[in-house]
Amino acid sequence: MKIVDMIKKEMRFDKNDKGQNAISAVSSNTSNKKKPSTIDRKVIQDSVTKLDPRYLAKNNAVMFTVEVGFIVVFIIALFPNISTEFVQFSSAFYFEIAVILIITVWFATFSESLSEAQARARVDSLRSLEKEVSARKIVNEKEVVVNSKSLKPGDEVKVYAGETIPRDGLVIKGKAFVDESMMTGESNPVFKEKDDHVIGGTRIASDNILVEITAEAGRSFLDEMVGLIESASRPKTKNEIALTMLLAGLSLIFIIVVGGLLFLIHYLGYSGDIATLIALLVALMPTTIGGLLPAIGVAGVTRIGRDNIVAKSGKGIEAAGDCDVLILDKTGTITEGSRSAIKFIPLQMYTEQDTGQAAFAASIHDNTHEGKSIIDLSEEKRFIPPLMEKILAARPIEFSADTGYSGIDFIPAKKTALTNEQQEEFAFISKLESENGNGNGIAGADNHHHVNCKVSSMLLELDKFNKEVQVLKGSVDNILALTRKANARVNEAEVRWKAQEVSKDGGTPLAVSINNEIIGLVVLKDNLKENIRQKLDEVRATGITTVMITGDNKLTAQVIAKEANVDQVMAEAKPTDKLVRVQEEQSKGHVIGMVGDGTNDAPALAKADIGLAMNSGTAAAKEAANMVDLDSDPSKILRVVKLGKQLLITRGAITTFSIANDVAKYFAIIPAMIMKSTNNAHLESLNIMHLHSPDTAILSTLIFNAIIIPALIPLSLRGVKFKPEPPQKTFIRNMLIYGLGGVALPFVGIKVIDLLLSVFMR
Amino acid sequence: MTCVDPIVQTSVLFGGSIGMAIIFGLYIARMISYEMRPLEKPLARVEKGFFRLVGIDVNRQMTWKEYLFALVFTDGIVMVFIFIIFLIQGMLPTATPGLKGLSIDLAFNTAASFITNTDLQHYAGDQQLSILTQMIAITFVMFVAPASAMAAGFAFIRAFIRKNFGLGNFYVDFTRNILTLLLPVSFVSSLFLIYMGVPQTLNSSVTIDKTLEGHNQSFTIGPVGSLESIKMLGHNGGGFFGANSAHPFENPNGFTNIYETFLILIIPLAFPIAYAKLVGRGRGIAILIAMLIGFGIMFAIALTAQSGPKGLETRFGSFGTLLFTISSIATNTGATNSLLGGLSPNAVISLFLGMFVQAIPGAAGVGMMTMIVYVLLTLFIVGLMVGKTPEYMSMKISPKDIKLAVFIFLLHPTLILIPTVTAFTTGNAQGVLGREVQGQKITPFGYTQALYEYTSAAANNGSDYLGTSANTPFWNWSTGLVMLLGRFVPLGLMLGIAGSFTAKDRKEVIEPIKTEGPLFISVLVIMTFLLTALTFFPFIIIGPFSMLGS
């Protein structure tokens, strides 16, 4: 392990260090540091500005109606002699009602302002996540280190190997390999020379270039997203529109009801006090949900932001609640995403040590995680092959999709000169060998400790006869094909059987061969992510089907699926299969959530209802998705689904609560309205609440109606608790809490307020 | 034949009508999905001949707008036709000497009343209409009105069967409803009723020499039997006689009383059965059960206080009267076999409830459609509560659907309350309420009568307190207008919902909350009653509820 780390530092450039780690580090810092300041002057100010009737008329019909009610009652309070028929209480009473009404409206605007303030705080902290790098700007032919933010189009910057290109630009001098994997997903570095375009955020793999900056600052992807959150025009989601419609309809119904009462009770000989009727109207209208609706919507975006996910619109978050099929990449989402060697399996003729040594040799130039893990495992087991000097200097055979293998190729006798770096590494390994008392080093041609090892002797023998040596590792099929082509002797049945055994346990077998002779298998295995099983169980409980997609063969895939408890598996999938699957499921009517990071994921991400792209992914993927996770943690999609559901449930629960409240409010106000002027004994049976007086009944109903709004602000900002469980259960529980509770609570609440008021109103 | 045991009555009635509703429902399902009906060949021949005669292209599918237009157009023509008959009946054959045409406002009211399936009667049929008018205007339109509503119900249900199944062709549905459902069934029923003693003759009166009192007495009779069966079967409710089904010629005995109640219930209950057949057994049954529970609640409220004996027919007894009246009001038939004034305030509250909800079980077609609209609103809340975009049978409920549904529920109180208030503020209510007006004040009973009139008109029910005393221009025009709006605007809105649903994608996805089973049924019933109660609670309190103590 240590060795490889050292080697990595010295001779290799690792593409996925720093970058995203740095980002996640920053983000976790900010979220700890910046607790959104809750109530400050700006919130108050903003909430008071929102009391403007013009604003309310446009944005919140329910609250607008309440405000009109306030104006009417206020005028009556000022001129109580306006009418004798419709004004029966004292002026003070009307003032009290007016005050409660305007406070009701203010509570609503306050909740909206508060949630907006939180969203703003969130945006600010997102801003700080933006990647800033230092750049070497050329000023008067000299390199000056500046912050990338300060760069303007036309500036020239020099970028060296290992450094990040600060912004989009054009190469004006030099040639270099550029690693664009974070943008395009293509892992092989791209060759760039004069007049080629380079992308900001990509990294130079070798050499250096002079770049002329062409892009403006602040046009980055994140910037666009932040802009979306901030924009004042929050596009309403379909559910929000439908709910607004329902609330407006209910309000209109109650306006007609109260309007009808205003005239009719007069003919029946009851006193038609206008303030009482306005109180009845305000109490009946769904003011609670009407007041909190905007806050709930904004809070959704804020909450998702708190998880370091940027959503392009509220729509995506809400759609997440509908998600019933999750398509998950095996790699990176369910498993750690990096397969590591865990075991060497020799063929009959060889030992474990043979296999280990051959695998070591084949992987020496393999920079992938898998390759490194093979080296690690060999080192750990002390399976170091002889002829290290030559192996290190050998010509690497790069992996390609066509051949399906990689390895090294060297002619032992040919004198080789190690580069400085290779020499260092060589010395390092030699040292390790000697430290562990493994004899007198590996530098000599006659290494005794390798004698009893077939591969060692084979290599030494080949070396002696000065033959070309080719050590390869690759998929079992590919290596077998190679040996077949070369007519080498091989026990194909044994290889296949052993490979199958590996697959059955969820591992991936790699065959290792020396000069077309298969030595053994390396078992690679991908480890499950921490807690993934528990997370997937939760998802399943809410009735979501999980589909694991993987390029692995069926056997391996099945094992992992079983371990992680996934519902369906799509094995041996080609990249395009994702899109096909998404379309297939959608045509069956499912709502699909998926995670992706590569360019080839982009079409599927765009097609999926909820596409979560990784910040580390390609620009195309981020463009196509409707959400981006800044931490690049694919399993966050589960959080998004949960949040989407929570958002809808919160709206539904408060709506139900609001409507259920009306029952008690009728029983509080109707007796207050008619009891005064009738001695009908049958009507007396309606007075089940026995409130102190008509005045206190009306006041306490309105006070309850008003304070329930701030009381529910925390709930609407935080969201109703969502447990992973069958929807039926969620429904029954919420119906009991918010439906039945909504009926019962105001009976108690109004009665308590009435008792308190009766003390003062004597 | 006076009082039969209540339990026997109820179980015979419901056993019989649900049993018959299953047969009818399966038949209606075939009509909706154009499957082979029994006797398809001869039926098709008759229909085809008719379609060719009128020039209807059987295969043409209509959009919801075309369907609505065809419905309004057809009903409009019929309304104009009967309006003219009412005006000029004095010049037509069979008019007794001295019989005049109705006044314009009464003719309008009556035409609107019958074409909307309301059958609110501001006239006394036995005195003001000729035999010919009873036959070609009243009885004829009694087929047209329910056939139109059922056709709309067919189109509505088709929207839920599968994507772009098509809403059908109004003319085809309409014709088939009359020719192959209403006409044959009412023919058989008429024969039965005639056998039971209902008169059927073209003579307008019969004179009996020497009654018990020793005088000659003349009775108005006529083709009552043919009218009576379609009056019940098609939820019309407009009686041949002013006394409606309390008249011994319309409803001779306890057995016809049960039989007529049975006729009322068949088609409304058949619709959910057809629905069950077409879109899922559980779903249809859930709706049927929800309707029956609603009906049960109405009935239970009515039974909490003793009705009568004042104003009730001794032939049917208190229970038989309630059973008939509640069935009739709940289906928006509006036929009555007693004076409404004879019912207890609690029974009146239950009648109001039936007319406010309009869907327990409601009139043929309309009740079913209204119930589905309740289902949509219920599912909207349910969907939010489980954190999913609300959907019905995995079709997303769009903001537009909610808007249309909300309009339907907004329209009902508007059509009831605004005219009621107007009637009082203009003094027109006071003018007809007689002794229920005490100076400036109106008794709860007086107010209840006015409220009932418009509720009945808006719900296309047709029962009323006021009867011929409301034959004033104000009441005729206002209730006429309310009936037309209360009929065609909701039909339009509901067909709009159908138009929206027929184009929706639907798929085989498990519903988060099944739209069947006890949980869904109870939520649906609660939502239905809660929405209604919250809207109308105060008006019931100051009206029928206050009648008790005052």
Side-chain angles (χ1 to χ4, degrees), chain A residues 423-434:
Chain A
Q423 246 158 14
E424 262 174 52
E425 192 183 349
F426 178 66
F428 204 84
I429 293 175
S430 314
K431 198 172 141 214
L432 183 85
E433 289 261 301
S434 53

Side-chain angles (χ1 to χ4, degrees), chain A residues 210-235:
Chain A
L210 191 65
V211 176
E212 185 189 326
I213 301 295
T214 53
E216 286 276 357
R219 297 288 308 148
S220 75
F221 182 65
L222 190 62
D223 268 296
E224 256 169 60
M225 293 247 186
V226 167
L228 270 168
I229 302 182
E230 260 187 336
S231 68
S233 58
R234 283 188 307 277

Side-chain angles (χ1 to χ4, degrees), chain B residues 10 41 80 89 94 156 161 176 184 234 242 255 271 289 304 327 337 360 368 373 467 493 502 535:
Chain B
T10 321
K41 268 192 184 159
V80 170
Q89 62 165 342
T94 78
F156 192 78
I161 295 178
R176 286 180 156 191
F255 193 77
F271 263 87
I289 294 176
T304 50
S327 303
N337 66 352
I360 46 175
M368 181 71 200
V373 177
L493 292 170
T502 191
T535 311

Side-chain angles (χ1 to χ4, degrees), chain A residues 238-239 242-243 249 253 256-257 267-268 321-322 324 588-589 645 648-649 652-653 666 680 682 686 727 731 734-735, chain B residues 380 384-390 399 402 406 410 414 424-425 441-442 507 509 534-535 538-539 541 545-546 548-549:
Chain A
K238 273 194 174 171
N239 286 322
L243 187 54
I253 289 177
I256 287 171
V257 166
Y267 290 104
L268 285 155
D322 289 342
D324 57 0
K588 279 188 234 154
K645 284 196 183 295
L648 291 185
I649 295 175
Y666 261 135
N680 185 327
H682 193 53
L686 272 182
F731 176 69
N734 285 334
M735 230 21 180
Chain B
F380 182 72
L384 291 182
M385 289 287 256
V386 298
K388 288 202 97 179
T389 296
I402 294 292
V406 164
L410 181 60
T414 312
F424 279 105
T425 47
K441 214 177 135 187
I442 294 150
K507 47 272 164 136
V509 175
L534 288 181
T535 311
F539 303 100
I541 295 304
F545 190 80
S546 301
L548 259 186

